[in-house]
PDB file of all heavy atoms in Angstrom:
ATOM      1  N   TYR A1085     -13.751  -2.940   9.667  1.00 97.00           N
ATOM      2  CA  TYR A1085     -14.459  -1.927  10.451  1.00 97.00           C
ATOM      3  C   TYR A1085     -14.644  -0.623   9.680  1.00 97.00           C
ATOM      4  O   TYR A1085     -15.302   0.303  10.163  1.00 97.00           O
ATOM      5  CB  TYR A1085     -13.680  -1.645  11.744  1.00 97.00           C
ATOM      6  CG  TYR A1085     -12.245  -1.195  11.510  1.00 97.00           C
ATOM      7  CD1 TYR A1085     -11.917   0.148  11.406  1.00 97.00           C
ATOM      8  CD2 TYR A1085     -11.234  -2.133  11.391  1.00 97.00           C
ATOM      9  CE1 TYR A1085     -10.616   0.560  11.180  1.00 97.00           C
ATOM     10  CE2 TYR A1085      -9.921  -1.739  11.174  1.00 97.00           C
ATOM     11  CZ  TYR A1085      -9.614  -0.396  11.071  1.00 97.00           C
ATOM     12  OH  TYR A1085      -8.319  -0.003  10.844  1.00 97.00           O
ATOM     13  N   MET A1086     -14.082  -0.514   8.485  1.00 98.00           N
ATOM     14  CA  MET A1086     -14.159   0.707   7.691  1.00 98.00           C
ATOM     15  C   MET A1086     -15.266   0.601   6.648  1.00 98.00           C
ATOM     16  O   MET A1086     -15.698  -0.492   6.287  1.00 98.00           O
ATOM     17  CB  MET A1086     -12.822   0.955   6.989  1.00 98.00           C
ATOM     18  CG  MET A1086     -11.649   1.168   7.925  1.00 98.00           C
ATOM     19  SD  MET A1086     -11.781   2.700   8.855  1.00 98.00           S
ATOM     20  CE  MET A1086     -11.327   3.900   7.604  1.00 98.00           C
ATOM     21  N   PRO A1087     -15.735   1.744   6.109  1.00 97.00           N
ATOM     22  CA  PRO A1087     -16.632   1.691   4.945  1.00 97.00           C
ATOM     23  C   PRO A1087     -15.968   0.909   3.819  1.00 97.00           C
ATOM     24  O   PRO A1087     -14.731   0.897   3.709  1.00 97.00           O
ATOM     25  CB  PRO A1087     -16.787   3.173   4.563  1.00 97.00           C
ATOM     26  CG  PRO A1087     -16.475   3.933   5.803  1.00 97.00           C
ATOM     27  CD  PRO A1087     -15.450   3.130   6.539  1.00 97.00           C
ATOM     28  N   LYS A1088     -16.753   0.243   2.999  1.00 97.00           N
ATOM     29  CA  LYS A1088     -16.187  -0.671   2.010  1.00 97.00           C
ATOM     30  C   LYS A1088     -15.184   0.018   1.080  1.00 97.00           C
ATOM     31  O   LYS A1088     -14.218  -0.597   0.628  1.00 97.00           O
ATOM     32  CB  LYS A1088     -17.293  -1.359   1.199  1.00 97.00           C
ATOM     33  CG  LYS A1088     -18.096  -0.470   0.276  1.00 97.00           C
ATOM     34  CD  LYS A1088     -19.129  -1.297  -0.494  1.00 97.00           C
ATOM     35  CE  LYS A1088     -19.857  -0.508  -1.564  1.00 97.00           C
ATOM     36  NZ  LYS A1088     -20.619   0.620  -1.038  1.00 97.00           N
ATOM     37  N   GLU A1089     -15.383   1.303   0.828  1.00 98.00           N
ATOM     38  CA  GLU A1089     -14.468   2.023  -0.055  1.00 98.00           C
ATOM     39  C   GLU A1089     -13.076   2.156   0.554  1.00 98.00           C
ATOM     40  O   GLU A1089     -12.082   2.311  -0.162  1.00 98.00           O
ATOM     41  CB  GLU A1089     -15.017   3.429  -0.358  1.00 98.00           C
ATOM     42  CG  GLU A1089     -16.293   3.442  -1.177  1.00 98.00           C
ATOM     43  CD  GLU A1089     -17.544   3.303  -0.326  1.00 98.00           C
ATOM     44  OE1 GLU A1089     -17.421   3.130   0.923  1.00 98.00           O
ATOM     45  OE2 GLU A1089     -18.654   3.355  -0.885  1.00 98.00           O
ATOM     46  N   LEU A1090     -12.989   2.108   1.884  1.00 98.00           N
ATOM     47  CA  LEU A1090     -11.737   2.359   2.597  1.00 98.00           C
ATOM     48  C   LEU A1090     -11.096   1.103   3.172  1.00 98.00           C
ATOM     49  O   LEU A1090     -10.055   1.185   3.818  1.00 98.00           O
ATOM     50  CB  LEU A1090     -11.983   3.342   3.747  1.00 98.00           C
ATOM     51  CG  LEU A1090     -12.378   4.769   3.373  1.00 98.00           C
ATOM     52  CD1 LEU A1090     -12.943   5.496   4.582  1.00 98.00           C
ATOM     53  CD2 LEU A1090     -11.185   5.521   2.823  1.00 98.00           C
ATOM     54  N   MET A1091     -11.698  -0.040   2.943  1.00 98.00           N
ATOM     55  CA  MET A1091     -11.249  -1.253   3.643  1.00 98.00           C
ATOM     56  C   MET A1091      -9.836  -1.695   3.300  1.00 98.00           C
ATOM     57  O   MET A1091      -9.089  -2.156   4.159  1.00 98.00           O
ATOM     58  CB  MET A1091     -12.213  -2.408   3.337  1.00 98.00           C
ATOM     59  CG  MET A1091     -13.479  -2.389   4.132  1.00 98.00           C
ATOM     60  SD  MET A1091     -14.453  -3.878   3.800  1.00 98.00           S
ATOM     61  CE  MET A1091     -15.958  -3.462   4.672  1.00 98.00           C
ATOM     62  N   ALA A1092      -9.451  -1.587   2.049  1.00 98.00           N
ATOM     63  CA  ALA A1092      -8.235  -2.269   1.592  1.00 98.00           C
ATOM     64  C   ALA A1092      -7.002  -1.372   1.656  1.00 98.00           C
ATOM     65  O   ALA A1092      -6.976  -0.274   1.118  1.00 98.00           O
ATOM     66  CB  ALA A1092      -8.442  -2.773   0.166  1.00 98.00           C
ATOM     67  N   ILE A1093      -5.980  -1.902   2.314  1.00 98.00           N
ATOM     68  CA  ILE A1093      -4.650  -1.297   2.347  1.00 98.00           C
ATOM     69  C   ILE A1093      -3.642  -2.390   1.991  1.00 98.00           C
ATOM     70  O   ILE A1093      -3.687  -3.485   2.556  1.00 98.00           O
ATOM     71  CB  ILE A1093      -4.297  -0.735   3.740  1.00 98.00           C
ATOM     72  CG1 ILE A1093      -5.266   0.374   4.128  1.00 98.00           C
ATOM     73  CG2 ILE A1093      -2.848  -0.254   3.786  1.00 98.00           C
ATOM     74  CD1 ILE A1093      -5.067   1.669   3.381  1.00 98.00           C
ATOM     75  N   GLU A1094      -2.743  -2.090   1.070  1.00 98.00           N
ATOM     76  CA  GLU A1094      -1.691  -3.051   0.719  1.00 98.00           C
ATOM     77  C   GLU A1094      -0.335  -2.445   1.071  1.00 98.00           C
ATOM     78  O   GLU A1094       0.028  -1.372   0.587  1.00 98.00           O
ATOM     79  CB  GLU A1094      -1.753  -3.391  -0.765  1.00 98.00           C
ATOM     80  CG  GLU A1094      -0.877  -4.577  -1.143  1.00 98.00           C
ATOM     81  CD  GLU A1094      -1.165  -5.122  -2.537  1.00 98.00           C
ATOM     82  OE1 GLU A1094      -2.018  -4.532  -3.242  1.00 98.00           O
ATOM     83  OE2 GLU A1094      -0.540  -6.117  -2.926  1.00 98.00           O
ATOM     84  N   TRP A1095       0.385  -3.136   1.952  1.00 98.00           N
ATOM     85  CA  TRP A1095       1.716  -2.715   2.364  1.00 98.00           C
ATOM     86  C   TRP A1095       2.734  -3.377   1.435  1.00 98.00           C
ATOM     87  O   TRP A1095       2.764  -4.602   1.311  1.00 98.00           O
ATOM     88  CB  TRP A1095       1.994  -3.130   3.798  1.00 98.00           C
ATOM     89  CG  TRP A1095       1.081  -2.533   4.828  1.00 98.00           C
ATOM     90  CD1 TRP A1095      -0.243  -2.807   5.021  1.00 98.00           C
ATOM     91  CD2 TRP A1095       1.437  -1.568   5.818  1.00 98.00           C
ATOM     92  NE1 TRP A1095      -0.738  -2.074   6.070  1.00 98.00           N
ATOM     93  CE2 TRP A1095       0.271  -1.303   6.586  1.00 98.00           C
ATOM     94  CE3 TRP A1095       2.631  -0.919   6.142  1.00 98.00           C
ATOM     95  CZ2 TRP A1095       0.281  -0.402   7.650  1.00 98.00           C
ATOM     96  CZ3 TRP A1095       2.631  -0.021   7.210  1.00 98.00           C
ATOM     97  CH2 TRP A1095       1.463   0.233   7.942  1.00 98.00           C
ATOM     98  N   ILE A1096       3.579  -2.576   0.802  1.00 98.00           N
ATOM     99  CA  ILE A1096       4.518  -3.090  -0.189  1.00 98.00           C
ATOM    100  C   ILE A1096       5.953  -2.797   0.240  1.00 98.00           C
ATOM    101  O   ILE A1096       6.275  -1.691   0.694  1.00 98.00           O
ATOM    102  CB  ILE A1096       4.248  -2.447  -1.570  1.00 98.00           C
ATOM    103  CG1 ILE A1096       2.939  -2.958  -2.144  1.00 98.00           C
ATOM    104  CG2 ILE A1096       5.394  -2.719  -2.551  1.00 98.00           C
ATOM    105  CD1 ILE A1096       2.939  -4.432  -2.523  1.00 98.00           C
ATOM    106  N   CYS A1097       6.796  -3.811   0.077  1.00 98.00           N
ATOM    107  CA  CYS A1097       8.230  -3.663   0.330  1.00 98.00           C
ATOM    108  C   CYS A1097       8.976  -4.329  -0.815  1.00 98.00           C
ATOM    109  O   CYS A1097       8.743  -5.510  -1.108  1.00 98.00           O
ATOM    110  CB  CYS A1097       8.599  -4.313   1.654  1.00 98.00           C
ATOM    111  SG  CYS A1097      10.372  -4.305   2.036  1.00 98.00           S
ATOM    112  N   PHE A1098       9.855  -3.606  -1.479  1.00 98.00           N
ATOM    113  CA  PHE A1098      10.670  -4.182  -2.544  1.00 98.00           C
ATOM    114  C   PHE A1098      12.022  -4.617  -1.988  1.00 98.00           C
ATOM    115  O   PHE A1098      12.548  -4.030  -1.047  1.00 98.00           O
ATOM    116  CB  PHE A1098      10.887  -3.178  -3.672  1.00 98.00           C
ATOM    117  CG  PHE A1098       9.661  -2.916  -4.506  1.00 98.00           C
ATOM    118  CD1 PHE A1098       9.034  -1.681  -4.497  1.00 98.00           C
ATOM    119  CD2 PHE A1098       9.116  -3.919  -5.297  1.00 98.00           C
ATOM    120  CE1 PHE A1098       7.914  -1.430  -5.271  1.00 98.00           C
ATOM    121  CE2 PHE A1098       7.976  -3.689  -6.072  1.00 98.00           C
ATOM    122  CZ  PHE A1098       7.386  -2.441  -6.053  1.00 98.00           C
ATOM    123  N   ALA A1099      12.588  -5.653  -2.607  1.00 98.00           N
ATOM    124  CA  ALA A1099      13.917  -6.185  -2.271  1.00 98.00           C
ATOM    125  C   ALA A1099      13.937  -6.762  -0.856  1.00 98.00           C
ATOM    126  O   ALA A1099      12.886  -7.036  -0.274  1.00 98.00           O
ATOM    127  CB  ALA A1099      14.988  -5.127  -2.489  1.00 98.00           C
ATOM    128  N   SER A1100      15.106  -6.966  -0.299  1.00 98.00           N
ATOM    129  CA  SER A1100      15.229  -7.665   0.979  1.00 98.00           C
ATOM    130  C   SER A1100      14.506  -6.924   2.092  1.00 98.00           C
ATOM    131  O   SER A1100      14.761  -5.744   2.355  1.00 98.00           O
ATOM    132  CB  SER A1100      16.702  -7.824   1.353  1.00 98.00           C
ATOM    133  OG  SER A1100      16.822  -8.420   2.632  1.00 98.00           O
ATOM    134  N   THR A1101      13.606  -7.634   2.765  1.00 98.00           N
ATOM    135  CA  THR A1101      12.814  -7.031   3.836  1.00 98.00           C
ATOM    136  C   THR A1101      13.662  -6.605   5.024  1.00 98.00           C
ATOM    137  O   THR A1101      13.269  -5.714   5.779  1.00 98.00           O
ATOM    138  CB  THR A1101      11.753  -8.032   4.328  1.00 98.00           C
ATOM    139  OG1 THR A1101      12.398  -9.285   4.619  1.00 98.00           O
ATOM    140  CG2 THR A1101      10.673  -8.247   3.286  1.00 98.00           C
ATOM    141  N   THR A1102      14.807  -7.222   5.209  1.00 98.00           N
ATOM    142  CA  THR A1102      15.669  -6.885   6.336  1.00 98.00           C
ATOM    143  C   THR A1102      16.077  -5.422   6.298  1.00 98.00           C
ATOM    144  O   THR A1102      16.265  -4.783   7.338  1.00 98.00           O
ATOM    145  CB  THR A1102      16.918  -7.779   6.336  1.00 98.00           C
ATOM    146  OG1 THR A1102      16.515  -9.150   6.414  1.00 98.00           O
ATOM    147  CG2 THR A1102      17.841  -7.467   7.508  1.00 98.00           C
ATOM    148  N   TYR A1103      16.198  -4.870   5.106  1.00 98.00           N
ATOM    149  CA  TYR A1103      16.774  -3.536   4.955  1.00 98.00           C
ATOM    150  C   TYR A1103      15.812  -2.482   4.425  1.00 98.00           C
ATOM    151  O   TYR A1103      16.218  -1.328   4.248  1.00 98.00           O
ATOM    152  CB  TYR A1103      17.975  -3.608   4.000  1.00 98.00           C
ATOM    153  CG  TYR A1103      18.966  -4.670   4.368  1.00 98.00           C
ATOM    154  CD1 TYR A1103      19.197  -5.757   3.533  1.00 98.00           C
ATOM    155  CD2 TYR A1103      19.655  -4.607   5.574  1.00 98.00           C
ATOM    156  CE1 TYR A1103      20.095  -6.746   3.880  1.00 98.00           C
ATOM    157  CE2 TYR A1103      20.549  -5.594   5.926  1.00 98.00           C
ATOM    158  CZ  TYR A1103      20.771  -6.661   5.085  1.00 98.00           C
ATOM    159  OH  TYR A1103      21.651  -7.636   5.443  1.00 98.00           O
ATOM    160  N   ASN A1104      14.564  -2.847   4.149  1.00 98.00           N
ATOM    161  CA  ASN A1104      13.698  -1.908   3.445  1.00 98.00           C
ATOM    162  C   ASN A1104      12.353  -1.688   4.118  1.00 98.00           C
ATOM    163  O   ASN A1104      11.885  -2.520   4.910  1.00 98.00           O
ATOM    164  CB  ASN A1104      13.526  -2.359   1.993  1.00 98.00           C
ATOM    165  CG  ASN A1104      14.787  -2.125   1.192  1.00 98.00           C
ATOM    166  OD1 ASN A1104      15.128  -0.983   0.894  1.00 98.00           O
ATOM    167  ND2 ASN A1104      15.500  -3.194   0.847  1.00 98.00           N
ATOM    168  N   ALA A1105      11.734  -0.569   3.789  1.00 98.00           N
ATOM    169  CA  ALA A1105      10.503  -0.134   4.431  1.00 98.00           C
ATOM    170  C   ALA A1105       9.274  -0.739   3.769  1.00 98.00           C
ATOM    171  O   ALA A1105       9.257  -0.971   2.554  1.00 98.00           O
ATOM    172  CB  ALA A1105      10.409   1.394   4.379  1.00 98.00           C
ATOM    173  N   PHE A1106       8.241  -0.992   4.579  1.00 98.00           N
ATOM    174  CA  PHE A1106       6.926  -1.389   4.095  1.00 98.00           C
ATOM    175  C   PHE A1106       6.080  -0.129   3.939  1.00 98.00           C
ATOM    176  O   PHE A1106       5.943   0.650   4.882  1.00 98.00           O
ATOM    177  CB  PHE A1106       6.258  -2.351   5.069  1.00 98.00           C
ATOM    178  CG  PHE A1106       6.732  -3.771   4.948  1.00 98.00           C
ATOM    179  CD1 PHE A1106       7.992  -4.144   5.400  1.00 98.00           C
ATOM    180  CD2 PHE A1106       5.917  -4.745   4.380  1.00 98.00           C
ATOM    181  CE1 PHE A1106       8.430  -5.451   5.297  1.00 98.00           C
ATOM    182  CE2 PHE A1106       6.342  -6.054   4.266  1.00 98.00           C
ATOM    183  CZ  PHE A1106       7.608  -6.415   4.724  1.00 98.00           C
ATOM    184  N   VAL A1107       5.501   0.042   2.758  1.00 98.00           N
ATOM    185  CA  VAL A1107       4.764   1.264   2.420  1.00 98.00           C
ATOM    186  C   VAL A1107       3.278   0.942   2.298  1.00 98.00           C
ATOM    187  O   VAL A1107       2.882   0.138   1.447  1.00 98.00           O
ATOM    188  CB  VAL A1107       5.274   1.851   1.090  1.00 98.00           C
ATOM    189  CG1 VAL A1107       4.559   3.168   0.797  1.00 98.00           C
ATOM    190  CG2 VAL A1107       6.792   2.042   1.115  1.00 98.00           C
ATOM    191  N   PRO A1108       2.407   1.553   3.127  1.00 98.00           N
ATOM    192  CA  PRO A1108       0.966   1.285   3.029  1.00 98.00           C
ATOM    193  C   PRO A1108       0.332   2.134   1.939  1.00 98.00           C
ATOM    194  O   PRO A1108       0.593   3.337   1.829  1.00 98.00           O
ATOM    195  CB  PRO A1108       0.450   1.690   4.409  1.00 98.00           C
ATOM    196  CG  PRO A1108       1.386   2.774   4.851  1.00 98.00           C
ATOM    197  CD  PRO A1108       2.729   2.437   4.258  1.00 98.00           C
ATOM    198  N   LEU A1109      -0.544   1.515   1.123  1.00 98.00           N
ATOM    199  CA  LEU A1109      -1.176   2.211   0.007  1.00 98.00           C
ATOM    200  C   LEU A1109      -2.649   1.833  -0.094  1.00 98.00           C
ATOM    201  O   LEU A1109      -3.024   0.677   0.127  1.00 98.00           O
ATOM    202  CB  LEU A1109      -0.476   1.846  -1.306  1.00 98.00           C
ATOM    203  CG  LEU A1109       0.994   2.253  -1.414  1.00 98.00           C
ATOM    204  CD1 LEU A1109       1.709   1.358  -2.412  1.00 98.00           C
ATOM    205  CD2 LEU A1109       1.126   3.713  -1.805  1.00 98.00           C
ATOM    206  N   TYR A1110      -3.463   2.802  -0.439  1.00 98.00           N
ATOM    207  CA  TYR A1110      -4.854   2.504  -0.773  1.00 98.00           C
ATOM    208  C   TYR A1110      -4.882   1.756  -2.108  1.00 98.00           C
ATOM    209  O   TYR A1110      -4.162   2.111  -3.053  1.00 98.00           O
ATOM    210  CB  TYR A1110      -5.659   3.791  -0.921  1.00 98.00           C
ATOM    211  CG  TYR A1110      -5.953   4.527   0.365  1.00 98.00           C
ATOM    212  CD1 TYR A1110      -5.341   5.746   0.645  1.00 98.00           C
ATOM    213  CD2 TYR A1110      -6.870   4.021   1.282  1.00 98.00           C
ATOM    214  CE1 TYR A1110      -5.628   6.454   1.812  1.00 98.00           C
ATOM    215  CE2 TYR A1110      -7.156   4.709   2.457  1.00 98.00           C
ATOM    216  CZ  TYR A1110      -6.529   5.929   2.711  1.00 98.00           C
ATOM    217  OH  TYR A1110      -6.830   6.616   3.870  1.00 98.00           O
ATOM    218  N   THR A1111      -5.738   0.734  -2.205  1.00 98.00           N
ATOM    219  CA  THR A1111      -5.831  -0.038  -3.453  1.00 98.00           C
ATOM    220  C   THR A1111      -7.068   0.288  -4.280  1.00 98.00           C
ATOM    221  O   THR A1111      -7.180  -0.169  -5.418  1.00 98.00           O
ATOM    222  CB  THR A1111      -5.820  -1.547  -3.164  1.00 98.00           C
ATOM    223  OG1 THR A1111      -6.966  -1.893  -2.376  1.00 98.00           O
ATOM    224  CG2 THR A1111      -4.549  -1.956  -2.435  1.00 98.00           C
ATOM    225  N   ASN A1112      -7.986   1.087  -3.728  1.00 98.00           N
ATOM    226  CA  ASN A1112      -9.201   1.452  -4.458  1.00 98.00           C
ATOM    227  C   ASN A1112      -8.899   2.619  -5.399  1.00 98.00           C
ATOM    228  O   ASN A1112      -9.427   3.718  -5.279  1.00 98.00           O
ATOM    229  CB  ASN A1112     -10.309   1.823  -3.470  1.00 98.00           C
ATOM    230  CG  ASN A1112     -11.647   2.029  -4.148  1.00 98.00           C
ATOM    231  OD1 ASN A1112     -11.828   1.701  -5.330  1.00 98.00           O
ATOM    232  ND2 ASN A1112     -12.598   2.591  -3.411  1.00 98.00           N
ATOM    233  N   VAL A1113      -8.002   2.359  -6.355  1.00 98.00           N
ATOM    234  CA  VAL A1113      -7.501   3.404  -7.248  1.00 98.00           C
ATOM    235  C   VAL A1113      -7.460   2.875  -8.680  1.00 98.00           C
ATOM    236  O   VAL A1113      -7.465   1.663  -8.920  1.00 98.00           O
ATOM    237  CB  VAL A1113      -6.085   3.864  -6.835  1.00 98.00           C
ATOM    238  CG1 VAL A1113      -6.114   4.570  -5.494  1.00 98.00           C
ATOM    239  CG2 VAL A1113      -5.104   2.684  -6.801  1.00 98.00           C
ATOM    240  N   SER A1114      -7.368   3.794  -9.631  1.00 97.00           N
ATOM    241  CA  SER A1114      -7.234   3.405 -11.035  1.00 97.00           C
ATOM    242  C   SER A1114      -5.776   3.418 -11.490  1.00 97.00           C
ATOM    243  O   SER A1114      -5.447   2.873 -12.539  1.00 97.00           O
ATOM    244  CB  SER A1114      -8.050   4.342 -11.933  1.00 97.00           C
ATOM    245  OG  SER A1114      -7.611   5.685 -11.788  1.00 97.00           O
ATOM    246  N   LYS A1115      -4.907   4.050 -10.684  1.00 98.00           N
ATOM    247  CA  LYS A1115      -3.484   4.068 -11.012  1.00 98.00           C
ATOM    248  C   LYS A1115      -2.680   4.262  -9.735  1.00 98.00           C
ATOM    249  O   LYS A1115      -3.203   4.686  -8.697  1.00 98.00           O
ATOM    250  CB  LYS A1115      -3.174   5.177 -12.010  1.00 98.00           C
ATOM    251  CG  LYS A1115      -3.436   6.578 -11.474  1.00 98.00           C
ATOM    252  CD  LYS A1115      -3.086   7.640 -12.501  1.00 98.00           C
ATOM    253  CE  LYS A1115      -3.346   9.046 -11.925  1.00 98.00           C
ATOM    254  NZ  LYS A1115      -2.967  10.107 -12.880  1.00 98.00           N
ATOM    255  N   LEU A1116      -1.386   3.947  -9.831  1.00 98.00           N
ATOM    256  CA  LEU A1116      -0.464   4.099  -8.710  1.00 98.00           C
ATOM    257  C   LEU A1116       0.664   5.044  -9.116  1.00 98.00           C
ATOM    258  O   LEU A1116       0.928   5.249 -10.303  1.00 98.00           O
ATOM    259  CB  LEU A1116       0.098   2.743  -8.298  1.00 98.00           C
ATOM    260  CG  LEU A1116      -0.877   1.797  -7.585  1.00 98.00           C
ATOM    261  CD1 LEU A1116      -0.362   0.372  -7.586  1.00 98.00           C
ATOM    262  CD2 LEU A1116      -1.137   2.275  -6.149  1.00 98.00           C
ATOM    263  N   PRO A1117       1.379   5.621  -8.139  1.00 98.00           N
ATOM    264  CA  PRO A1117       2.469   6.545  -8.458  1.00 98.00           C
ATOM    265  C   PRO A1117       3.566   5.887  -9.302  1.00 98.00           C
ATOM    266  O   PRO A1117       3.854   4.692  -9.173  1.00 98.00           O
ATOM    267  CB  PRO A1117       3.002   6.947  -7.077  1.00 98.00           C
ATOM    268  CG  PRO A1117       1.826   6.793  -6.165  1.00 98.00           C
ATOM    269  CD  PRO A1117       1.099   5.589  -6.685  1.00 98.00           C
ATOM    270  N   LYS A1118       4.190   6.693 -10.152  1.00 98.00           N
ATOM    271  CA  LYS A1118       5.220   6.202 -11.073  1.00 98.00           C
ATOM    272  C   LYS A1118       6.426   5.622 -10.353  1.00 98.00           C
ATOM    273  O   LYS A1118       7.139   4.785 -10.911  1.00 98.00           O
ATOM    274  CB  LYS A1118       5.648   7.329 -12.016  1.00 98.00           C
ATOM    275  CG  LYS A1118       4.570   7.747 -13.002  1.00 98.00           C
ATOM    276  CD  LYS A1118       5.079   8.816 -13.953  1.00 98.00           C
ATOM    277  CE  LYS A1118       3.995   9.192 -14.974  1.00 98.00           C
ATOM    278  NZ  LYS A1118       4.472  10.230 -15.925  1.00 98.00           N
ATOM    279  N   TYR A1119       6.670   6.057  -9.138  1.00 98.00           N
ATOM    280  CA  TYR A1119       7.804   5.541  -8.355  1.00 98.00           C
ATOM    281  C   TYR A1119       7.658   4.043  -8.098  1.00 98.00           C
ATOM    282  O   TYR A1119       8.626   3.344  -7.832  1.00 98.00           O
ATOM    283  CB  TYR A1119       7.876   6.310  -7.033  1.00 98.00           C
ATOM    284  CG  TYR A1119       9.164   6.196  -6.259  1.00 98.00           C
ATOM    285  CD1 TYR A1119      10.398   6.465  -6.844  1.00 98.00           C
ATOM    286  CD2 TYR A1119       9.142   5.855  -4.909  1.00 98.00           C
ATOM    287  CE1 TYR A1119      11.572   6.386  -6.108  1.00 98.00           C
ATOM    288  CE2 TYR A1119      10.302   5.780  -4.160  1.00 98.00           C
ATOM    289  CZ  TYR A1119      11.521   6.047  -4.766  1.00 98.00           C
ATOM    290  OH  TYR A1119      12.685   5.971  -4.033  1.00 98.00           O
TER     291      TYR A1119
END
């Protein structure tokens, strides 16, 4: 339902999902944060 530039969101969780947060990120980028 969004403009094509805004469509994609990737939720990322590292390590065991039971204990950790899912982080939503825009994927229409040339780089991601160093963290």
Side-chain angles (χ1 to χ4, degrees):
Y1085 57 92
M1086 298 293 284
K1088 68 178 187 299
E1089 293 86 357
L1090 294 165
M1091 280 185 188
I1093 298 287
E1094 191 167 3
W1095 298 70
I1096 290 293
C1097 176
F1098 288 113
S1100 176
T1101 51
T1102 301
Y1103 309 115
N1104 287 289
F1106 280 73
V1107 184
L1109 297 155
Y1110 288 110
T1111 62
N1112 188 11
V1113 293
S1114 59
K1115 64 179 181 178
L1116 288 163
K1118 292 183 178 180
Y1119 196 53

